[in-house]
Amino acid sequence: MSKAKLFVENILVYGLGGIISKIIPLIMLPIVTRIMPSTEYFGISDMSQTIISFASALAVLGMYDAMYRMFFEKEEEEYKKTVCSTALIFTIGMSFIVFILMIIFREQLALWFLGNKELAYVIFLSAIATLVSATNSIISAPTRMQNKRKVFLVTNTVSPILSYGLAIPLLLGGYYIIALPLAGVVSGITMEISFYILNRKWFVPKLFDKKLLKQLLIIAIPLFPNFLFYWIFNSCDKLMITNIIGVGATGIYAVGSKLGQASQLIYTAFAGGWQYFAFSTMKEEKQVESNSKIFEYLGVISYVATAFVCALSFWIFRILFSEEYLDGYVIAPYLFLAPLLLMLYQVAGNQFLVIKKTWPSMFILLSGAIGNVVLNLILIPVIGIEGASIASLLGYIISVVIAVIVLCCMKLMVVSKRFIAISVLMVIFFAIWRFLCPHNIIIGLMMAVVFTAICCVLYRKEIVIVKDRLMRRKDG
């Protein structure tokens, strides 16, 4: 199978499964916000997920990516089972430690994250969800590593349906605070049981290997700060909004971020097929060239999609949400582009993982995370939730730019002048939209079309090649 076909097929299949799991919450978002009587309730539910994401990263400690990397190191099935078993036992131990700590300090965590220690019971639910989420990430991994596409599609469809099937009746019954967290716990437990039944042959406790664990930790531990930095990028802004403005503002920001993160559909499609493609082709001769082209093409697609989101953001919010959430429209484009920049960073940063040197990625992300926090402290008191979204976007930009420069110096990446030109043009587009026509859909769409046309002209050779291949397939 060609590299292009392998990449595209995995993107389409795993991407579809990931998109299904993301698009259902997006569809349900206007319904959930209209059932809830106040933005504070949605803010509390979203902050619960924020806590889970942080605690899960701490429990997994980078083991998922280390496990994925080592799985493809050898072809022997016994070795692969040893990798999976060792990773799972370690993660179970870490997950229980994190779970216990969350229970012990639940009141303090409730005060920090939710602004009220009386909501400690929400932390209890979050602790259970963390235990399930962290271990499930390892238990479900063999499904992807074996490229079992149909299973992935089914599970990613069932999980959100099950979650909202429980959450909506609870919301209608007036359980606004616990509805979404409790539904997430039930759905997570169901999926974990299902994946264990499917993948149980890969997890044999007696195959736990201390020597292999050391090898896994050599890769995993430097990756943990990366996950911490990702959490800062994705969630620190909400924590700071809660403490600087209030949990109600966090609710508005959360809705804006979730709609903005419709780009997660693109990112999820990419991530679903990317890891299998990246590690299964990492030893090929033209790996650097292929990786660089993927980075560039995904970057252009991201910019074009963001341009149209800018044009449509205000009217989407006006149609879908009540008046109290309307201010969220301005942050959606920033937070639409941010996950796509994360996608670009992961394409570039994969080169560090391929050569088994993950520490540079840690320091690069640290630079972006520090920039994010500092900008949040400066901008949130001045321009509110828009300041938080700007800080998140600029944090990613800092990390991507530094990573590209470092990798180019190491001869592990190549970036063309036309992509640099498109990136500068995207910045200009953003500025014009925000200051001159944030509410004008006609002017916004015209600008987006012009920007798209410029991209097509600069990448006309690639477009022609893709067109010719599609025509040959159709004729053949």
Side-chain angles (χ1 to χ4, degrees):
M1 183 182 294
S2 69
K3 289 188 293 183
K5 186 176 181 181
L6 175 65
F7 180 68
V8 171
E9 285 190 0
N10 278 278
I11 290 293
L12 290 177
V13 176
Y14 286 116
L16 178 59
I19 284 173
I20 290 172
S21 70
K22 299 292 183 182
I23 202 168
I24 292 175
L26 281 175
I27 292 172
M28 296 302 298
L29 184 60
I31 298 173
V32 169
T33 55
R34 289 184 182 276
I35 294 175
M36 290 180 170
S38 169
T39 61
E40 291 186 2
Y41 291 115
F42 193 81
I44 292 170
S45 295
D46 192 73
M47 286 304 294
S48 170
Q49 189 58 47
T50 298
I51 298 166
I52 295 167
S53 65
F54 174 79
S56 296
L58 182 61
V60 175
L61 201 66
M63 189 56 66
Y64 176 84
D65 284 88
M67 171 188 173
Y68 219 116
R69 172 63 180 84
M70 294 301 291
F71 188 89
F72 290 96
E73 188 69 15
K74 298 179 182 179
E75 293 299 324
E76 294 84 355
E77 184 172 300
E78 187 75 5
Y79 170 80
K80 294 179 184 292
K81 288 181 178 179
T82 303
V83 170
C84 295
S85 303
T86 303
L88 179 60
I89 291 174
F90 174 82
T91 305
I92 290 173
M94 285 295 300
S95 299
F96 271 104
I97 291 172
V98 173
F99 171 80
I100 293 170
L101 289 173
M102 290 179 71
I103 297 301
I104 293 173
F105 297 104
R106 60 188 180 277
E107 289 190 0
Q108 188 61 50
L109 289 171
L111 186 61
W112 287 345
F113 285 88
L114 307 175
N116 186 352
K117 67 178 182 180
E118 299 298 325
L119 294 172
Y121 61 92
V122 177
I123 303 298
F124 185 83
L125 286 174
S126 300
I128 298 174
T130 297
L131 183 62
V132 173
S133 175
T135 53
N136 192 31
S137 66
I138 302 297
I139 291 173
S140 63
T143 299
R144 283 193 178 186
M145 292 189 290
Q146 296 174 88
N147 221 14
K148 290 185 176 179
R149 303 168 180 178
K150 292 181 180 179
V151 174
F152 188 79
L153 283 173
V154 172
T155 55
N156 276 270
T157 302
V158 171
S159 179
I161 292 175
L162 177 62
S163 180
Y164 281 95
L166 176 61
I168 294 300
L170 288 172
L171 287 170
L172 292 174
Y175 298 98
Y176 305 119
I177 293 177
I178 66 168
L180 294 177
L182 180 59
V185 169
V186 174
S187 176
I189 292 173
T190 303
M191 288 300 102
E192 182 159 25
I193 293 172
S194 301
F195 275 118
Y196 181 76
I197 293 172
L198 293 170
N199 297 327
R200 62 186 181 278
K201 78 167 189 174
W202 295 98
F203 302 104
V204 183
K206 68 179 181 179
L207 291 179
F208 176 81
D209 189 326
K210 291 182 180 180
K211 291 183 179 179
L212 182 60
L213 178 60
K214 291 180 180 179
Q215 296 178 44
L216 288 166
L217 289 175
I218 288 173
I219 298 174
I221 290 176
L223 287 174
F224 168 68
N226 295 356
F227 290 103
L228 177 60
F229 301 147
Y230 286 146
W231 182 85
I232 292 174
F233 282 125
N234 294 324
S235 305
C236 184
D237 46 4
K238 299 173 188 175
L239 179 59
M240 296 175 78
I241 290 171
T242 298
N243 287 277
I244 294 174
I245 305 176
V247 73
T250 304
I252 298 173
Y253 185 84
V255 169
S257 67
K258 289 187 183 303
L259 193 65
Q261 288 173 359
S263 59
Q264 288 281 4
L265 303 183
I266 300 174
Y267 170 74
T268 303
F270 153 79
W274 170 248
Q275 278 188 310
Y276 181 85
F277 172 83
F279 293 125
S280 62
T281 62
M282 65 183 178
K283 296 181 181 179
E284 296 195 1
E285 184 179 349
K286 294 185 178 181
Q287 190 271 342
V288 171
E289 181 182 348
S290 299
N291 203 74
S292 299
K293 286 182 178 179
I294 291 171
F295 175 89
E296 190 168 331
Y297 299 155
L298 289 175
V300 174
I301 293 171
S302 300
Y303 293 158
V304 170
T306 302
F308 282 95
V309 169
C310 287
L312 298 171
S313 180
F314 177 77
W315 292 97
I316 291 174
F317 269 79
R318 194 169 185 177
I319 293 170
L320 295 181
F321 301 103
S322 59
E323 189 72 23
E324 59 184 346
Y325 289 98
L326 186 58
D327 288 343
Y329 88 91
V330 74
I331 69 172
Y334 298 107
L335 298 180
F336 181 89
L337 182 56
L340 299 179
L341 291 181
L342 170 60
M343 173 179 70
L344 297 185
Y345 180 82
Q346 290 183 342
V347 173
N350 178 73
Q351 297 300 81
F352 295 121
L353 193 57
V354 167
I355 62 173
K356 296 183 180 179
K357 293 183 179 179
T358 54
W359 61 266
S361 184
M362 178 180 69
F363 288 106
I364 292 169
L365 282 173
L366 175 61
S367 300
I370 291 174
N372 187 351
V373 172
V374 171
L375 288 167
N376 269 315
L377 289 172
I378 295 171
L379 296 177
I380 291 176
V382 178
I383 53 177
I385 61 174
E386 184 177 6
S389 63
I390 293 172
S392 294
L393 180 59
L394 291 178
Y396 278 120
I397 290 174
I398 292 169
S399 293
V400 172
V401 170
I402 294 175
V404 169
I405 292 173
V406 170
L407 288 166
C408 286
C409 291
M410 295 174 68
K411 308 298 182 184
L412 292 173
M413 191 170 181
V414 180
V415 179
S416 69
K417 292 180 180 178
R418 61 180 177 175
F419 182 70
I420 295 174
I422 289 294
S423 298
V424 172
L425 189 59
M426 185 69 227
V427 173
I428 296 172
F429 176 95
F430 232 119
I432 294 173
W433 166 77
R434 179 63 187 93
F435 293 109
L436 298 181
C437 55
H439 300 165
N440 195 315
I441 188 173
I442 296 176
I443 295 177
L445 286 174
M446 289 175 62
M447 289 171 54
V449 170
V450 171
F451 178 78
T452 304
I454 293 172
C455 293
C456 290
V457 170
L458 290 177
Y459 288 87
R460 57 188 179 277
K461 290 183 180 179
E462 285 81 358
I463 293 173
V464 170
I465 291 173
V466 172
K467 181 181 177 181
D468 288 344
R469 287 180 178 177
L470 290 174
M471 291 298 293
R472 285 198 296 270
R473 281 191 177 184
K474 184 178 179 181
D475 295 338

